[in-house]
Amino acid sequence: MDAIFGAHVFPFLPIGNVGIYEKEGLAATDRFTIHIIGKGAHAATPHITRDPILAAGHLITQIHSIVSRNINPLDSAVITIGKVDGGTAFNIIPDKVELLELCVLWIPK
């Protein structure tokens, strides 16, 4: 193999410009979905629920600490939660919440 070419958007380049990087740029990308299953009820009775929105909030906080507590500060990595989906009404605690995440390991060489 003599060469590999890849294309990707890069928000730091001015519009109309094309950048070329002659080494490795991105190392790995993984996408995953987390389903949190609880027990819904009316918002006036949260004590009888297993609130997946509350659980999702705690999980999001913990996920954001993965990089800062597991990756050397001199290395680079990113975990992004790009979508949180749960509930259909303002006064109902839902039965489930879905989190969509993107995990990118960035290794500039």
Side-chain angles (χ1 to χ4, degrees):
M1 179 181 335
D2 294 323
I4 295 176
F5 298 94
H8 199 278
V9 296
F10 192 73
F12 303 114
L13 285 175
I15 293 174
N17 288 330
V18 175
I20 297 174
Y21 193 67
E22 296 183 18
K23 296 181 180 179
E24 301 87 6
L26 293 173
T29 302
D30 295 306
R31 178 180 157 179
F32 54 96
T33 303
I34 297 173
H35 297 273
I36 300 173
I37 308 299
K39 178 183 174 190
H42 192 276
T45 57
H47 60 287
I48 65 169
T49 71
R50 291 191 308 269
D51 188 345
I53 291 182
L54 180 63
H58 286 284
L59 182 58
I60 290 167
T61 300
Q62 294 304 308
I63 287 170
H64 281 264
S65 71
I66 290 172
V67 170
S68 66
R69 296 299 178 256
N70 294 283
I71 304 297
N72 184 321
L74 301 177
D75 296 331
S76 295
V78 174
I79 297 177
T80 298
I81 299 171
K83 182 179 178 188
V84 177
D85 185 19
T88 58
F90 73 97
N91 62 343
I92 302 294
I93 295 171
D95 289 323
K96 62 183 178 177
V97 171
E98 181 179 82
L99 305 176
L100 275 69
E101 303 184 50
L102 174 66
C103 179
V104 177
L105 179 61
W106 179 275
I107 304 178
K109 297 282 182 174

